[in-house]
Amino acid sequence: MRFRRRVVYDMVHYGHSNQLRQAKAMGDYLIVGVHTDSEIAKHKGPPVFTQAERYKMVRAIKWVDEVVEGAPYVTTLQTLDKYNCDSCVHGDDITLTVDGKDTYEEVKKSGRYRECKRTQGVSTTDLVGRMLLMTKAHHSNIDSSDYQQHTDNFGKVGKGRSPWTGVSQFLQTSQKIIQFASGQEPQPGDTIIYVAGAFDLFHIGHVDFLEAVHKLAEKPYIIVGLHFDQEVNRYKGKNYPIMNVHERTLSVLACRYVSEVVIGAPFAVTKDLLEHFKVDLVCHGKTEIYPDKDGSDPYAEPRRKGILRTVDSGNSLTTDAIVQRIIKNRLLFEARNQKKEAKEMAVIQAMRRQEEEKTKERSQAVL
């Protein structure tokens, strides 16, 4: 069966990847429609990433078979038929047009709508708030006064608030990692390539780098070493990483170029690490190489062995640059989330009224 998933994916995060994983499991071929910047601006507010960045990010997710660029915001039966899709898949939250109408109304009525579960603990709303707060609460817990203020500004699950535009805590499980992991061991003839870093707010700059690394060998097996939060904060400062190590793990595992992830990799690429994973090549981008705690070069060993290679991805986008985009448009993003939540609450209240009327009618029928 062919399924179509229509997406905004303003900031492509592991929650989106998890929805695509679920959607792919429903059929054999997954087509993902991605909206233009103008469509997102009209119905939701200013996008964080450009449409070109979003198209490429979605293509890099390993469960995606095909991407439709400039997909219409409202999904119709005509669109499903155009791409020979049996059904349309969306998360269990509601998507509304600028005038508050369900964008999947037509396909729902036709019985060609399927639903997958929303990933708890992550949303673009939450990630934007972390960038604006510049606190470290998200590294361990969300019980800080600053974070509570963020939930008030950006929407939180609770009385009188939308359950879809909300902030909740992500809880990592071994099952979730298994669902995202490839489960493939290196095969004879594979070139085992090791890269390490924060890979924070996994973005198109990371994708371009990993794609460039992937092209270095005929049969690449790419292992990504992710540094713990405290280590990242040591060399990046401020409130980095924006995503904690559990969130970054899923984000990286969802990338089609990645074979394995080392969770909490040592900052220095040691002889033991190289031997343990039988690494053939170590790669680093053109970004700055931060020194270890004692001031030493963390890549001294692969450099000594002659297996360190600097890879130019051709993309200079950094996590810092993304944060600057958010800060520059702070008021617009706050207004976007408040407007989105207001529309959702109107729908929820209407649904509650309908349910109350049905309950009342059933009670009267019994009497």
Side-chain angles (χ1 to χ4, degrees), residues 83-132:
Y83 296 101
N84 299 314
C85 293
D86 299 285
S87 299
C88 178
V89 183
H90 191 261
D92 54 6
D93 55 333
I94 194 166
T95 306
L96 306 171
T97 62
V98 66
D99 52 358
K101 294 181 180 178
D102 185 351
T103 59
Y104 292 98
E105 183 177 2
E106 184 176 325
V107 292
K108 284 179 178 179
K109 288 180 178 178
S110 71
R112 293 173 67 180
Y113 176 82
R114 300 282 292 276
E115 208 165 74
C116 56
K117 292 182 179 180
R118 181 178 181 272
T119 304
Q120 291 297 318
V122 63
S123 66
T124 300
T125 302
D126 187 18
L127 295 175
V128 166
R130 295 183 196 182
M131 292 180 234
L132 296 176

Side-chain angles (χ1 to χ4, degrees), residues 170-241:
F170 171 69
L171 299 175
Q172 181 70 287
T173 64
S174 58
Q175 181 62 31
K176 188 62 64 186
I177 293 176
I178 291 170
Q179 290 171 342
F180 272 60
S182 67
Q184 297 295 317
E185 296 284 341
Q187 300 300 309
D190 285 356
T191 299
I192 301 176
I193 306 174
Y194 182 78
V195 302
F199 289 88
D200 193 16
L201 286 179
F202 194 75
H203 54 71
I204 191 62
H206 298 133
V207 168
D208 283 341
F209 169 69
L210 291 170
E211 183 182 21
V213 171
H214 195 268
K215 291 177 179 178
L216 294 176
E218 186 177 341
K219 294 176 63 181
Y221 186 93
I222 300 176
I223 301 174
V224 176
L226 289 179
H227 301 144
F228 277 132
D229 300 340
Q230 295 87 344
E231 191 69 70
V232 175
N233 189 252
R234 177 186 68 80
Y235 63 81
K236 289 280 287 183
K238 299 179 182 177
N239 68 329
Y240 291 115

Side-chain angles (χ1 to χ4, degrees), residues 28-316:
D28 306 310
Y29 194 85
L30 180 62
I31 300 174
V32 181
V34 184
H35 308 312
T36 61
D37 293 344
S38 58
E39 279 284 87
I40 295 176
K42 175 183 176 182
H43 294 281
K44 294 192 70 173
V48 178
F49 290 112
T50 68
Q51 60 196 44
E53 291 170 337
R54 289 182 288 106
Y55 297 152
K56 191 161 189 177
M57 281 292 294
V58 174
R59 283 193 176 96
I61 297 173
K62 61 186 178 184
W63 297 287
V64 176
D65 294 301
E66 183 181 338
V67 169
V68 174
E69 299 181 1
Y73 198 78
V74 176
T75 301
T76 63
L77 294 176
Q78 182 181 6
T79 301
L80 293 186
D81 293 339
K82 179 179 179 180
Y83 296 101
N84 299 314
C85 293
D86 299 285
S87 299
C88 178
V89 183
H90 191 261
D92 54 6
D93 55 333
I94 194 166
T95 306
L96 306 171
T97 62
V98 66
D99 52 358
K101 294 181 180 178
D102 185 351
T103 59
Y104 292 98
E105 183 177 2
E106 184 176 325
V107 292
K108 284 179 178 179
K109 288 180 178 178
S110 71
R112 293 173 67 180
Y113 176 82
R114 300 282 292 276
E115 208 165 74
C116 56
K117 292 182 179 180
R118 181 178 181 272
T119 304
Q120 291 297 318
V122 63
S123 66
T124 300
T125 302
D126 187 18
L127 295 175
V128 166
R130 295 183 196 182
M131 292 180 234
L132 296 176
L133 278 174
M134 298 304 288
T135 69
K136 303 176 186 177
H138 56 277
H139 292 179
S140 55
N141 60 67
I142 57 174
D143 298 322
S144 74
S145 58
D146 286 336
Y147 206 96
Q148 289 305 312
Q149 182 62 47
H150 152 51
T151 61
D152 290 339
N153 288 342
F154 286 84
K156 64 180 178 182
V157 178
K159 184 177 179 181
R161 308 306 293 257
S162 169
W164 302 311
T165 301
V167 175
S168 59
Q169 191 169 14
F170 171 69
L171 299 175
Q172 181 70 287
T173 64
S174 58
Q175 181 62 31
K176 188 62 64 186
I177 293 176
I178 291 170
Q179 290 171 342
F180 272 60
S182 67
Q184 297 295 317
E185 296 284 341
Q187 300 300 309
D190 285 356
T191 299
I192 301 176
I193 306 174
Y194 182 78
V195 302
F199 289 88
D200 193 16
L201 286 179
F202 194 75
H203 54 71
I204 191 62
H206 298 133
V207 168
D208 283 341
F209 169 69
L210 291 170
E211 183 182 21
V213 171
H214 195 268
K215 291 177 179 178
L216 294 176
E218 186 177 341
K219 294 176 63 181
Y221 186 93
I222 300 176
I223 301 174
V224 176
L226 289 179
H227 301 144
F228 277 132
D229 300 340
Q230 295 87 344
E231 191 69 70
V232 175
N233 189 252
R234 177 186 68 80
Y235 63 81
K236 289 280 287 183
K238 299 179 182 177
N239 68 329
Y240 291 115
I242 303 299
M243 284 182 165
N244 65 48
V245 69
H246 304 300
E247 297 169 317
R248 291 182 284 122
T249 296
L250 297 186
S251 298
V252 175
L253 281 174
C255 180
R256 64 174 67 250
Y257 305 118
V258 175
S259 302
E260 181 64 287
V261 168
V262 180
I263 305 170
F267 187 69
V269 183
T270 63
K271 180 181 178 181
D272 287 343
L273 184 148
L274 296 176
E275 291 178 351
H276 178 82
F277 292 108
K278 298 179 174 61
V279 175
D280 299 301
L281 191 64
V282 176
C283 294
H284 192 276
K286 299 195 75 174
T287 54
E288 179 185 359
I289 295 179
Y290 297 98
D292 207 342
K293 297 183 185 71
D294 59 2
S296 62
D297 176 9
Y299 290 92
E301 182 61 21
R303 201 186 301 277
R304 184 189 67 79
K305 293 173 65 72
I307 60 172
L308 179 64
R309 184 176 299 187
T310 300
V311 176
D312 184 0
S313 67
N315 190 328
S316 60

Side-chain angles (χ1 to χ4, degrees), residues 316-342:
S316 60
L317 183 67
T318 63
T319 303
D320 283 323
I322 294 169
V323 172
Q324 289 307 312
R325 290 184 189 183
I326 297 293
I327 291 174
K328 182 180 178 181
N329 293 290
R330 173 171 187 161
L331 294 178
L332 291 175
F333 285 119
E334 287 186 354
R336 178 186 75 169
N337 286 304
Q338 290 168 358
K339 181 180 178 182
K340 178 174 180 285
E341 186 177 33

